[in-house]
């Protein structure tokens, strides 16, 4: 099955810093999503991005499907950005999740 | 806004009990999913459904069953709860080939 690897596993930033999170996947996919899991466990959809580039405020994402990776950019990080960021991919119905990047933003 | 609700945020059950976890979505999505999340293991798919009365096994279906009698509702059933089923359970829904939306999760403890 498809393998999903996320890096780095852990990241600590000072408020205001920028960061890039990476998601590599082992096979071609039709669907790719980025999620943020907040401290209460809620998974919040950030981007649905099987290819191309999208931006939403301080966050943006790029997926290069032919090279099997996706990047999530966080600019001017805030303490509320803390949590775990997951990438999930699928060929059809079944999504495979990476193990996440745990981000801590310090005030 | 899409809304996915789950019947309980926290649940405590005893070994051997039958447990029902309910999930309801209000956006007429065809697909619904049940995952469990455990530290160090990430999210793993238990079952999914792509239509009413249709279901497919995910990666870890053992010890679980599901029911989808109506499009908006997808139930996860633990026939005889065991301590290794203590976990966070997350429900999601989506249109075909589109964004998944998650519920708030149910933290289940089996004693």
């Amino acid at each position: 099955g498809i393998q999903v690897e996320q890096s780095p596993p852990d990241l600590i930033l000072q408020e205001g810093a920028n960061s890039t999170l990476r998601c590599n996947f082992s096979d071609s996919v039709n669907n790719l999503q980025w999620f943020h899991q907040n401290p209460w466990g809620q998974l919040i959809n950030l981007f649905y991005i099987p290819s191309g580039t999208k931006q939403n405020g301080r966050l943006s994402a790029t997926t290069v499907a032919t090279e099997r990776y996706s990047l999530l950019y966080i600019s001017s990080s805030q303490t509320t950005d803390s949590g775990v960021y997951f990438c999930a991919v699928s060929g059809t119905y079944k999504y495979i999740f990476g193990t996440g990047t745990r981000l801590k933003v310090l005030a | 806004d899409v809304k996915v609700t789950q019947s309980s945020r926290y649940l405590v059950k005893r070994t051997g009990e039958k447990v029902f976890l309910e999930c309801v979505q209000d956006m007429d999505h065809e697909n619904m999913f049940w995952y469990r999340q455990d530290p160090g293991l990430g999210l793993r798919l238990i079952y999914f459904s792509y239509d009413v009365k249709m279901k497919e096994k995910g990666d870890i279906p053992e010890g679980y069953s599901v029911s989808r009698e109506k499009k908006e509702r997808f139930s996860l059933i633990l026939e005889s709860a065991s301590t290794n089923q203590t976990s966070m359970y997350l429900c999601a829904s989506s249109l075909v080939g589109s964004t998944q939306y998650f519920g708030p999760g149910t933290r289940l403890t089996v004693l």
Side-chain angles (χ1 to χ4, degrees), chain B residues 84-101:
Chain B
N84 63 13
Q85 292 177 310
T86 291
S87 187
M88 170 73 119
Y89 290 88
L90 292 155
C91 174
S93 73
S94 76
L95 292 170
V96 175
S98 187
T99 306
Q100 279 189 101
Y101 295 90

Side-chain angles (χ1 to χ4, degrees), chain B residues 18-34:
Chain B
K18 191 167 186 175
V19 181
F20 293 87
L21 302 181
E22 301 282 330
C23 176
V24 178
Q25 50 94 4
D26 66 356
M27 284 302 291
D28 204 34
H29 286 171
E30 294 92 353
N31 298 336
M32 296 189 74
F33 308 82
W34 275 107

Side-chain angles (χ1 to χ4, degrees), chain A residues 58-81:
Chain A
R58 296 182 296 104
L59 271 58
S60 64
T62 295
T63 298
V64 183
T66 51
E67 296 188 22
R68 298 181 186 165
Y69 73 89
S70 183
L71 302 173
L72 177 69
Y73 305 97
I74 304 173
S75 64
S76 304
S77 57
Q78 300 175 357
T79 55
T80 51
D81 295 332

Side-chain angles (χ1 to χ4, degrees), chain B residues 40-100:
Chain B
L41 296 176
L43 275 83
R44 294 177 292 166
L45 182 64
I46 305 171
Y47 268 97
F48 66 97
S49 168
Y50 51 89
D51 202 350
V52 175
K53 297 191 188 292
M54 306 303 288
K55 60 188 179 186
E56 291 283 341
K57 292 180 181 179
D59 297 315
I60 50 163
E62 297 79 19
Y64 303 94
S65 61
V66 290
S67 171
R68 194 166 180 201
E69 297 295 319
K70 293 186 177 181
K71 193 173 187 180
E72 68 271 18
R73 189 180 296 269
F74 192 35
S75 302
L76 180 70
I77 303 152
L78 287 66
E79 294 289 342
S80 177
S82 62
T83 54
N84 63 13
Q85 292 177 310
T86 291
S87 187
M88 170 73 119
Y89 290 88
L90 292 155
C91 174
S93 73
S94 76
L95 292 170
V96 175
S98 187
T99 306
Q100 279 189 101

